[in-house]
Amino acid sequence: MKDLAVHIKSFGCQMNKLDTALIASALQAAGFRLTDDVKEADAVLINTCSVREHAEERVYSHLGHLKHLKQYRPDLIVGVIGCMAQRLGDKLLEHEAVNIVCGPAQIPQIADLLREALVRAPKRAVVTDNIRQGGQDSNAALEEFESTYSAGEMPGQAFVRVMRGCNRFCTYCIVPYVRGPEACRPPEAIRQQVKRLADGGTRQVTLLGQTVNSYKYQSGNRTWCLADLLDMVGQVPGIEWVRFVTSYPYDEFYEHILGAMANSAKICHYLHMPAQSGSDRVLRAMNRHYTAGRYLELIERARAVVPDIAVAGDFIVGFPGETQEDFEATADLVRKARYKNSYIFKYSPRPGTAAQKRLADTVPADIKQQRNVELLAVQDRVSAELNQAFVSQQVVVLVEGPSKRQMRSDECETPSRALQNVEGRPAISPSKVQLVGRTSTDHIVVFDGSPSLAGSFVRVRITQASPLTLFGDLQP
Ligand code: 5AD
Ligand code: SF4
């Protein structure tokens, strides 16, 4: 077979990036070559996200470019995979550019689908009809795929999914409809996967799940929870740091997880626990099973057990019926929770969700935008204050690599660049460049050093802080 080149593009969350990395690894094992250059690719795969409308719009715009490219390259194969493929199925084949549609449960078939398409260029969709029915066979195939291929995205770091799907049905969210029901992976499969990763040089593992803190697995007469997994992964030789995302604010296993964090130097002091809103009325309409007061209690408990824990949140502004008073309750929660950072999203109705079916999208676009900016400003003040406390401290940092965007500490950071400050211009000097890394608490640290430090742990003395970034000097 001719050397076939595949270009893969990923739009979406960490789960989606993990799928992309697994697919890339599987395609290489099947004899395909990966390329960064669309122009030389025989096939382009787009891994899609459906969580917000904006993500889907970006995919359509990309498909528009590919349609144009196909006028000159009619043999080019285009595949759409992931959540949008699951949501739209066959309908996506109506787009002129699209040859293959492959749902998240069918990714183990991707190499075969590509080969078939490259030989005969058909249009074909493989998507589960009812993803919420799950099924042993599909789970077994996904489990094998997951544990066979590896997904180290950055030097020294890897993501490991511990559970798939979600059962919570927050009214705004499409995830339960496109990713299917909750399914927890066996601890032994996770341990073996982490061991292989550690043998290959991985030092930090991030355990992934939509509601990762609800992980539960019955093995013989033992019930495993996330705390047990964290301990188990921390004991794999070579693993230095273990983290987990994303947590749902609820009680079960909470003390165990915090206890594991307090007792093991390997479990990072970081909790990503979305609140979504600070208004009890809105939380009820979102089908989130807690009040703002209860949520704050959970954070207080975390700080009592792990005093330096850093907490990150997610918020949706402009949920149907959100009043100014509701929004102020959210701003109040952001001030009280003292998040390290918050990811803030404008509500967008997702087809098939309870909110889209039953609640009118009443908050005008300009008000959503205004609330988004205001909430970011509230968060920025909190972040700036918290980050200031790091100045003149030494921190341990796992180096990600050269910061693609060369930053100055006096540069003003706009909130929209939140946590994306690694984009932009490449580093200039090869011997010493601006590096970016993260602390165990997930704080971003920028400092000068050799690119060869990527994937290792270093000490940095913090000299300056802005709301999103700590700046410092590498210590010998
Ligand atoms: N509109 C806006 N934001 C959403 N999120 C999920 N669904 C929607 C939606 N329909 C946000 C939530 C979630 C994050 C991954 O995306 O804040 O935590
Ligand atoms: Fe979506 Fe809620 Fe599940 Fe998170 S917990 S994936 S917001 S349904």
Side-chain angles (χ1 to χ4, degrees), residues 135-407:
Q136 290 291 332
D137 291 352
S138 125
N139 265 338
L142 281 172
E143 181 52 47
E144 196 192 324
F145 187 76
E146 189 105 47
S147 49
T148 307
Y149 301 107
S150 61
E153 262 189 32
M154 275 185 279
Q157 304 192 26
F159 293 92
V160 171
R161 186 170 3 232
V162 300
M163 58 195 290
R164 285 183 272 275
C166 183
N167 289 346
R168 300 216 76 100
F169 289 96
C170 304
T171 55
Y172 51 81
C173 185
I174 201 162
V175 168
Y177 304 90
V178 287
R179 287 275 171 175
E182 223 172 81
C184 295
R185 297 184 58 210
E188 185 51 25
I190 296 168
R191 196 186 63 80
Q192 284 180 18
Q193 190 179 355
V194 172
K195 190 173 172 311
R196 266 200 314 279
L197 288 164
D199 290 345
T202 293
R203 296 292 162 260
Q204 171 180 282
V205 166
T206 304
L207 304 183
L208 290 183
Q210 305 289 353
T211 58
V212 71
N213 54 331
S214 61
Y215 177 92
K216 197 178 201 170
Y217 194 92
Q218 191 73 39
S219 173
N221 50 15
R222 175 167 182 196
T223 305
W224 289 71
C225 74
L226 180 68
D228 303 315
L229 283 189
L230 291 168
D231 278 338
M232 176 188 82
V233 171
Q235 281 168 32
V236 172
I239 298 299
E240 298 294 336
W241 281 1
V242 192
R243 45 176 93 244
F244 56 97
V245 284
T246 298
S247 295
Y248 185 91
Y250 85 148
D251 259 317
E252 204 183 358
F253 310 127
Y254 195 62
E255 296 294 336
H256 281 85
I257 295 166
L258 294 175
M261 233 187 235
N263 293 330
S264 161
K266 298 208 171 165
I267 304 172
C268 293
H269 292 184
Y270 172 68
L271 185 67
H272 177 209
M273 190 162 75
Q276 311 295 3
S277 171
S279 150
D280 293 345
R281 203 186 57 78
V282 173
L283 285 169
R284 248 192 328 276
M286 286 177 162
N287 193 32
R288 304 282 289 184
H289 293 256
Y290 52 87
T291 59
R294 193 80 197 89
Y295 177 90
L296 283 169
E297 268 172 46
L298 288 175
I299 293 206
E300 260 171 46
R301 267 161 63 192
R303 294 205 166 113
V305 182
V306 185
D308 70 337
I309 196 167
V311 185
D314 286 8
F315 287 93
I316 297 177
V317 292
F319 187 78
E322 183 188 71
T323 61
Q324 185 59 26
E325 199 185 336
D326 293 322
F327 172 70
E328 276 158 22
T330 299
D332 203 37
L333 177 63
V334 169
R335 276 186 287 266
K336 288 185 178 141
R338 302 188 65 70
Y339 294 106
K340 172 180 88 74
N341 69 283
S342 289
Y343 301 87
I344 300 167
F345 306 102
K346 290 178 273 188
Y347 172 72
S348 70
R350 307 309 297 129
T353 59
Q356 182 265 337
K357 287 197 268 191
R358 291 195 228 118
L359 307 169
D361 185 12
T362 49
V363 180
D366 56 336
I367 304 282
K368 283 182 187 166
Q369 177 62 19
Q370 194 184 319
R371 290 180 183 167
N372 192 348
V373 171
E374 266 181 51
L375 200 57
L376 277 168
V378 172
Q379 177 59 57
D380 258 17
R381 277 195 291 278
V382 175
S383 303
E385 207 182 302
L386 292 174
N387 276 358
Q388 208 49 46
F390 280 91
V391 175
S392 40
Q393 307 260 336
Q394 277 199 20
V395 292
V396 176
V397 171
L398 175 55
V399 184
E400 291 179 358
S403 149
K404 293 189 190 127
R405 210 187 134 265
Q406 299 297 290
M407 293 176 75

Side-chain angles (χ1 to χ4, degrees), residues 94-162:
E94 289 165 18
H95 193 290
E96 268 176 72
V98 180
N99 299 91
I100 303 170
V101 177
C102 173
Q106 280 73 36
I107 55 172
Q109 299 173 38
I110 193 70
D112 292 341
L113 286 169
L114 260 185
R115 218 181 289 284
E116 185 186 283
L118 284 160
V119 176
R120 288 183 268 135
K123 278 193 173 259
R124 177 140 185 239
V126 289
V127 172
T128 316
D129 285 340
N130 184 350
I131 194 149
R132 296 235 29 109
Q133 271 166 7
Q136 290 291 332
D137 291 352
S138 125
N139 265 338
L142 281 172
E143 181 52 47
E144 196 192 324
F145 187 76
E146 189 105 47
S147 49
T148 307
Y149 301 107
S150 61
E153 262 189 32
M154 275 185 279
Q157 304 192 26
F159 293 92
V160 171
R161 186 170 3 232
V162 300

Side-chain angles (χ1 to χ4, degrees), residues 39 41 64-76:
K39 288 193 222 87
H65 292 307
L66 291 172
K67 179 179 148 193
H68 183 71
L69 191 65
K70 280 179 97 161
Q71 288 175 347
Y72 308 95
R73 307 254 328 268
D75 293 340
L76 180 72

